[in-house]
Amino acid sequence: MASAANANLNAVRETMDVLLEISRLLNTGLDMESLSICVRLCEQGINPEALSAVIKELRKASESLKASENSTN
Amino acid sequence: SSSITELLGALCDCSLSGVSWKRRALGGVSREGFRRALKKRAYGALLSKLFQDGTKGSASGPSATANTPPRNKVLMICFDLRVAGCREEAERLEEQLERLSEGASSGLKEVDAVLELLVQLAGSAPPPPTSF
């Protein structure tokens, strides 16, 4: 039982490493932390196109915040 | 095991990393207030896309690649990379795609959905700064 769980954990780790490398090669801008959150959201049934729209929206918002920070310096 | 709301909150937190809140607090923008605004925008984007999906296909029709499996979309990107002269990147991408297990052997239920997300986000990050 425990060895099956370990095997599954190893499979998940390996898959995550491959997905992170694909993400880097595609220049998606996702780091390991945000990628693992996205993986969990996909596992919960969130539509990947809708999720990409969310990520782009969050980037826009945080970039405008950082830009306003730079302009006040 | 986290809920969708918790995961979306965590995604908002990720996008707030690197923002200096000490100075922001003096200007009246609190981290909590901005986090709330971010979550509102995240849910807005999520829901608008879901409603769009519900009405898709009536006016403009589905796009040519709408039903293409995400693995094939990645292979199409590999082809584009080769045409653009980025042979090494294309080969590396193909290698990684071959390493990616399908179904239960990957340990994940939705590998193809994640791959579709990566395709949707391809090229969306700013290029890394060039060092001199």
Side-chain angles (χ1 to χ4, degrees):
Chain A
M1 193 71 173
S3 67
N6 274 344
N8 189 55
L9 198 64
N10 285 340
V12 171
R13 263 192 212 131
E14 199 176 314
T15 304
M16 286 304 295
D17 286 343
V18 176
L19 286 171
L20 185 65
E21 184 60 13
I22 292 176
S23 170
R24 195 189 62 75
L25 287 163
L26 292 177
N27 195 27
T28 64
L30 295 176
D31 56 15
M32 189 47 141
E33 192 185 356
S34 42
L35 177 66
S36 44
I37 294 170
C38 290
V39 168
R40 287 157 77 191
L41 280 164
C42 287
E43 297 275 289
Q44 298 261 17
I46 293 287
N47 175 302
E49 274 186 59
L51 186 53
S52 78
V54 170
I55 290 166
K56 286 173 187 168
E57 190 63 29
L58 289 177
R59 276 185 195 157
K60 256 192 257 168
S62 64
E63 271 160 25
S64 66
L65 185 74
K66 282 171 191 167
S68 72
E69 185 177 48
N70 289 340
S71 67
T72 54
N73 282 345
Chain B
S1 61
S2 308
S3 68
I4 290 173
T5 46
E6 282 170 333
L7 290 169
L8 276 178
L11 205 53
C12 291
D13 287 338
C14 278
S15 64
L16 285 177
S17 62
V19 177
S20 155
W21 291 101
K22 228 174 196 175
R23 204 177 317 127
R24 297 236 154 247
L26 297 173
V29 184
S30 72
R31 184 187 169 89
E32 208 35 57
F34 194 76
R35 192 176 182 265
R36 265 199 304 274
L38 267 188
K39 276 182 104 169
K40 203 174 163 186
R41 284 179 74 161
Y43 280 104
L46 187 66
L47 295 174
S48 69
K49 196 73 192 164
L50 291 181
F51 287 126
Q52 257 178 29
D53 284 351
T55 56
K56 206 160 65 175
S58 53
S60 56
S63 74
T65 55
N67 294 321
T68 308
R71 283 170 198 262
N72 292 12
K73 288 182 188 172
V74 176
L75 290 175
M76 285 156 79
I77 294 174
C78 290
F79 175 80
D80 289 343
L81 282 170
R82 278 211 171 80
V83 170
C86 307
R87 195 176 55 87
E88 269 178 44
E89 284 86 348
E91 275 170 13
R92 183 107 183 95
L93 197 51
E94 280 171 351
E95 249 171 54
Q96 296 302 311
L97 197 62
E98 278 168 24
R99 278 186 64 200
L100 196 61
S101 320
E102 284 184 66
S105 58
S106 68
L108 299 173
K109 289 180 289 176
E110 301 290 346
V111 181
D112 278 3
V114 180
L115 212 48
E116 179 65 45
L117 171 72
L118 299 182
V119 169
Q120 294 288 329
L121 289 174
S124 64
T130 45
S131 54
F132 293 100

